[in-house]
Amino acid sequence: MANIAEQRIRREFKEVVKSDEVAACNIRVELVNDTYTHLRGEIMGPPDTPYEGGRFQLEIKIPETYPFNPPLVKFLTKIWHPNISSVTGAICLDILKDQWAAAMTLRTVLLSLQALLAAAEPDDPQDAVVAQQYKEHYEIFRRTALHWTSTFANGPKKDKDYDDKVTSLINMGFEEHKARVALSTNQWDLTRAAEYCLS
Amino acid sequence: MAQGSPDGHSSTLCKYFMHGACAKGTNCSFSHDRTTPPDLVCRFYLKGQCAYGDRCRYDHTGKQKSKSSDLGKTAFRETSSKLDFKSTPEKKDKGWSGPVRTPSLASIRDSEPLKSNMVPLGKEKEQTKVSTPKSVTKSPEEWVKAKEFTPGQFYTGAVAPTYASAVGTAENEENEIPNGFYAAEGASWDGAMAAAPLSPCGDMSQTDASLLCPYLMGKGECRYGDECGYTHGDVCDMCGIAILHPENPAQREEHMRECMEAHETDMEHSFKVAASREKTCGICMDVVLEKEPVGGRRFGILENCNHCFCLTCIRQWRCAKQFEKVIVKACPECRVNSNFVTPSNLWVDNPEEKTTLIVTYKQALKDKPCRHFDQGRGECPFNDSCFYRHALPDGSIAPSQPRKPRRRHNAEGELQRVLGINLWDFLESEELRREISQIEDSLEIMNYLAMELFDDGMFVIESDEDELNDSDY
């Protein structure tokens, strides 16, 4: 790894660890291995959003050309968000692509991601299904996001109705995650979700 | 180069010993006797390929090495390299008209072979009286001939010649202090000290009581104490050198003033250094002045904002190809666009200093030939706004070429930047097209005439068939 990248990540790592946000448990970074090329990030779901209270794990890979190229970041925790793929966790955020600036740090990236959770951009989606739901049935989107947060990110609020629907699909013999995706994609309509699973 | 001599040592003076730093000591194959001449002939000159030409610091004298000439040069070289003292511009405004210059190198060469470095100095004194007044030359071509360290250099301590000049002013009528208080002018302190055993305190007969003692000034002590033939100056509080002449108020005042000025400059510089010391680069996050290698300890000052980066980082960022220009040409911190980066050894954020820095930088670039332009052989994409020099092989500045980027809409309606298209290109192709169309026209006329030869009926039938096409027109 290029010298400059590693040195910078070491510094940034310290910066994040010392920052106020860590003190408030909003963001966190930890090492995956000793080389500083692979990091594990964690952000708190921002308040007043369906993600509130959830802890979202991120995979951060530092390219050799860092900081002249952005770090490669994706969600490890499954999340229901228009700009984040519900399948792969890939993120659609300009600063992680063409709007990157060399002066940005791990801290600013994590805070930007937190801001992205609070302010989705459905017009520039990563996950088209989620974005459509966000635009057309916002209430369903909100409840779905909440359900995903409670399921995958240890979110505090449960949605009993949705949980029951998932359970009933499981009882029909479908695999749990497949059932959840089918329901989320089909506006929680059991019949359509079952058809979706079978197709 | 190393020729054997009876004692097993070369008859050439060791260059390292000359500067007082030969690590080999007695094992050195070169001579450690200061009376042996050093070899200062330019080796590249002997090969006929010295790139420095007249500006070379070494002798361009063919193969004959005149002893005195070499020594003279040694003396000079040592002076310039070791006498790291302040040299100040000559004070013409002091009413002192003729600069009392130390003699030219030739005068030293003409002097008899030297026993010690001290001796020619006495000679110099006499030479000086007849030396023609000559203003200080600052051009690089001349500096090698200059006897004293060239003014314009940064202050590093107190120096001899200028005070000499000052005294010359004060005591001109007496004509007793011709050239300076500093007997060792023209020879290094080290040289002088080393030579001392050979001729105690120089040659007493040639010393001048009005000259300040070089040993006391250079080493801070004089072994001859009160018996020294030279005047022992008072120690200046500022620079700590025994440089104040006890009987010359003009010289004292002059020195104090210069010392004060130098001190103020030093202070300003220290403040700037202190302000720069803590600055970190926003990209590599290193402290810029602690970067390794040392060459990287430079700031890249952006034109339109005050964010701090080291030169290498900001240049690398601005060259990044993976992003759009508008991203990389902007400051990575604040995204304010800047058209260029100015290198600086110290951090500058004061607007006035920044303007000065940028102006100086552009001025310096103007003297460098543009690589793109390549003396008119190439084409510079920056054209008139290029910072570098667009000089033709004869040295004249090339006239500006009106080649401005144009923009046009392409077939998809997108705006394109069009470079390297001249109106002339169109005119030429237009001319070519016109010529071709003229030929075509004449062919058509011939065809028409040929048609006329046929009967009218046939012609009409043909035009009927073409009716549909005609209606399109």
Side-chain angles (χ1 to χ4, degrees):
Chain A
M1 184 189 228
N3 207 10
I4 176 168
E6 189 175 338
Q7 275 188 355
R8 226 191 91 147
I9 287 295
R10 277 176 201 277
R11 282 220 178 85
E12 286 183 31
F13 194 75
K14 283 182 196 155
E15 180 204 44
V16 178
V17 169
K18 283 185 195 159
S19 65
D20 299 340
E21 291 86 4
V22 166
C25 297
N26 281 332
I27 59 170
R28 205 167 76 191
V29 177
E30 57 196 34
L31 287 175
V32 173
N33 53 22
D34 294 338
T35 57
Y36 284 89
T37 54
H38 197 168
L39 302 158
R40 182 69 48 84
E42 192 183 271
I43 55 173
M44 206 51 179
D48 303 324
T49 65
Y51 311 102
E52 185 174 356
R55 296 196 157 273
F56 298 91
Q57 300 279 326
L58 296 151
E59 181 194 71
I60 305 170
K61 284 185 177 163
I62 307 296
E64 281 201 14
T65 46
Y66 186 81
F68 299 102
N69 277 313
L72 308 168
V73 187
K74 71 173 195 176
F75 273 83
L76 291 175
T77 310
K78 299 242 171 273
I79 184 169
W80 193 252
H81 188 281
N83 302 108
I84 300 157
S85 166
S86 58
V87 183
T88 61
I91 305 165
C92 177
L93 182 60
D94 56 357
I95 60 153
L96 292 177
K97 292 174 179 166
D98 53 352
Q99 296 286 313
W100 170 252
M104 287 178 176
T105 63
L106 288 178
R107 185 178 151 264
T108 53
V109 165
L110 292 180
L111 292 176
S112 302
L113 284 173
Q114 222 176 12
L116 181 73
L117 295 189
E121 286 284 348
D123 292 328
D124 190 12
Q126 175 75 27
D127 195 314
V129 177
V130 186
Q132 202 185 355
Q133 190 183 62
Y134 183 96
K135 284 208 259 188
E136 290 170 7
H137 313 279
Y138 182 78
E139 187 50 30
I140 296 179
F141 161 79
R142 202 190 60 75
R143 287 179 65 187
T144 313
L146 195 83
H147 173 76
W148 281 58
T149 307
S150 73
T151 312
F152 298 109
N154 294 323
K157 293 178 191 163
K158 300 258 179 205
D159 191 316
K160 194 157 182 313
D161 183 22
Y162 283 6
D163 286 346
D164 291 347
K165 283 186 177 174
V166 174
T167 318
S168 55
L169 262 193
I170 293 170
N171 292 339
M172 287 161 78
F174 296 114
E175 192 258 320
E176 182 185 348
H177 188 62
K178 200 176 177 189
R180 184 170 288 113
V181 171
L183 282 166
S184 305
T185 317
N186 292 291
Q187 327 303 345
W188 298 89
D189 185 313
L190 269 176
T191 330
R192 273 167 57 202
E195 281 169 14
Y196 179 89
C197 284
L198 289 169
S199 63
Chain B
M1 180 159 89
Q3 300 134 7
S5 64
D7 59 351
H9 290 298
S10 157
S11 58
T12 307
L13 180 59
C14 171
K15 279 182 195 171
Y16 300 97
F17 179 76
M18 198 166 88
H19 293 288
C22 180
K24 292 187 182 167
T26 49
N27 295 330
C28 181
S29 60
F30 289 92
S31 168
H32 279 195
D33 180 359
R34 278 185 190 275
T35 54
T36 48
D39 179 29
L40 288 173
V41 174
C42 173
R43 269 174 274 172
F44 297 97
Y45 173 77
L46 292 181
K47 285 186 204 162
Q49 55 182 33
C50 178
Y52 292 102
D54 294 342
R55 292 176 294 127
C56 183
R57 297 167 69 187
Y58 289 88
D59 284 342
H60 279 193
T61 50
K63 285 188 178 162
Q64 334 142 339
K65 290 174 232 165
S66 124
K67 201 177 176 186
S68 56
S69 128
D70 287 339
L71 261 187
K73 268 226 163 156
T74 320
F76 160 68
R77 284 167 51 73
E78 286 188 3
T79 318
S80 56
S81 60
K82 295 212 165 173
L83 261 189
D84 212 10
F85 289 116
K86 181 173 78 176
S87 65
T88 41
E90 287 171 332
K91 303 288 181 292
K92 301 223 166 166
D93 52 336
K94 285 273 167 186
W96 167 71
S97 52
V100 184
R101 295 280 289 182
T102 44
S104 65
L105 204 56
S107 66
I108 307 173
R109 286 185 178 156
D110 293 340
S111 64
E112 66 209 13
L114 311 169
K115 283 200 298 292
S116 83
N117 284 339
M118 290 300 288
V119 181
L121 302 167
K123 288 272 176 194
E124 273 176 40
K125 242 172 44 176
E126 289 150 25
Q127 298 267 355
T128 313
K129 290 178 187 168
V130 293
S131 74
T132 50
K134 185 183 161 203
S135 63
V136 179
T137 47
K138 287 188 183 180
S139 72
E141 289 78 21
E142 292 290 309
W143 81 266
V144 77
K145 295 174 194 155
K147 190 68 180 64
E148 62 206 40
F149 202 71
T150 318
Q153 293 294 315
F154 201 76
Y155 168 78
T156 40
V159 89
T162 337
Y163 308 124
S165 317
V167 174
T169 321
E171 313 211 354
N172 235 358
E173 306 92 69
E174 294 167 37
N175 206 13
E176 282 302 314
I177 306 174
N179 179 25
F181 291 101
Y182 315 110
E185 199 175 316
S188 75
W189 308 122
D190 281 355
M193 292 308 275
L198 295 171
S199 76
C201 205
D203 189 342
M204 282 300 185
S205 66
Q206 294 189 11
T207 58
D208 190 328
S210 59
L211 294 176
L212 282 173
C213 175
Y215 309 119
L216 194 61
M217 274 198 298
K219 295 276 185 190
E221 56 178 320
C222 172
R223 68 178 76 173
Y224 299 103
D226 295 341
E227 304 196 350
C228 178
Y230 297 111
T231 306
H232 279 184
D234 296 334
V235 176
C236 167
D237 290 338
M238 306 275 294
C239 61
I241 297 173
I243 207 166
L244 298 174
H245 200 278
E247 287 150 26
N248 191 323
Q251 186 264 356
R252 294 178 76 101
E253 201 177 297
E254 177 80 8
H255 173 79
M256 294 299 276
R257 198 179 56 74
E258 281 169 1
C259 235
M260 187 59 83
E261 275 174 14
H263 182 68
E264 279 167 11
T265 324
D266 270 359
M267 290 288 280
E268 265 174 42
H269 185 73
S270 322
F271 283 138
K272 280 188 201 163
V273 171
S276 309
R277 190 158 288 153
E278 301 286 306
K279 290 281 174 190
T280 51
C281 167
I283 294 175
C284 62
M285 296 189 172
D286 284 332
V287 176
V288 178
L289 291 184
E290 289 169 12
K291 271 184 84 103
E292 293 295 335
V294 182
R297 295 180 186 173
R298 283 201 290 172
F299 293 90
I301 310 280
L302 288 174
E303 190 189 2
N304 296 329
C305 71
N306 278 336
H307 289 110
C308 178
F309 304 102
C310 61
L311 187 63
T312 28
C313 284
I314 189 70
R315 283 207 167 141
Q316 197 178 342
W317 169 249
R318 292 172 69 87
C319 290
K321 291 279 183 290
Q322 64 270 35
F323 302 110
E324 280 183 40
K325 270 214 165 124
V326 74
I327 299 289
V328 293
K329 298 300 176 192
C331 166
E333 303 256 11
C334 65
R335 300 216 195 259
V336 169
N337 179 65
S338 284
N339 290 321
F340 58 92
V341 180
T342 311
S344 168
N345 286 328
L346 292 172
W347 173 242
V348 177
D349 52 2
N350 174 338
E352 282 169 32
E353 283 176 11
K354 198 160 158 177
T355 318
T356 323
L357 175 80
I358 290 174
V359 168
T360 326
Y361 175 61
K362 283 187 177 174
Q363 199 57 48
L365 290 190
K366 265 270 172 276
D367 295 336
K368 288 186 181 174
C370 173
R371 276 190 301 171
H372 296 293
F373 186 74
D374 194 17
Q375 295 193 328
R377 288 186 289 272
E379 193 172 307
C380 175
F382 302 100
N383 200 11
D384 285 350
S385 50
C386 181
F387 287 172
Y388 291 91
R389 190 181 183 83
H390 281 191
L392 297 169
D394 62 0
S396 63
I397 300 294
S400 64
Q401 297 152 329
R403 185 186 291 269
K404 288 195 177 128
R406 292 150 197 269
R407 288 187 290 182
R408 70 170 181 195
H409 287 281
N410 65 11
E412 280 84 39
E414 292 164 346
L415 203 58
Q416 279 186 319
R417 273 164 68 84
V418 183
L419 279 166
I421 295 182
N422 288 326
L423 184 58
W424 188 245
D425 299 336
F426 287 110
L427 291 178
E428 276 186 337
S429 62
E430 178 65 17
E431 267 174 24
L432 194 69
R433 199 189 61 78
R434 202 174 294 161
E435 276 172 27
I436 293 169
S437 71
Q438 273 172 2
I439 297 169
E440 280 174 352
D441 282 351
S442 53
L443 279 176
E444 258 175 41
I445 292 167
M446 280 166 71
N447 278 345
Y448 179 73
L449 291 175
M451 294 280 233
E452 287 288 273
L453 294 178
F454 293 103
D455 58 321
D456 286 346
M458 199 174 167
F459 190 71
V460 170
I461 291 163
E462 245 186 25
S463 68
D464 277 344
E465 279 176 354
D466 285 339
E467 202 172 23
L468 199 71
N469 291 344
D470 287 344
S471 64
D472 286 347
Y473 294 111

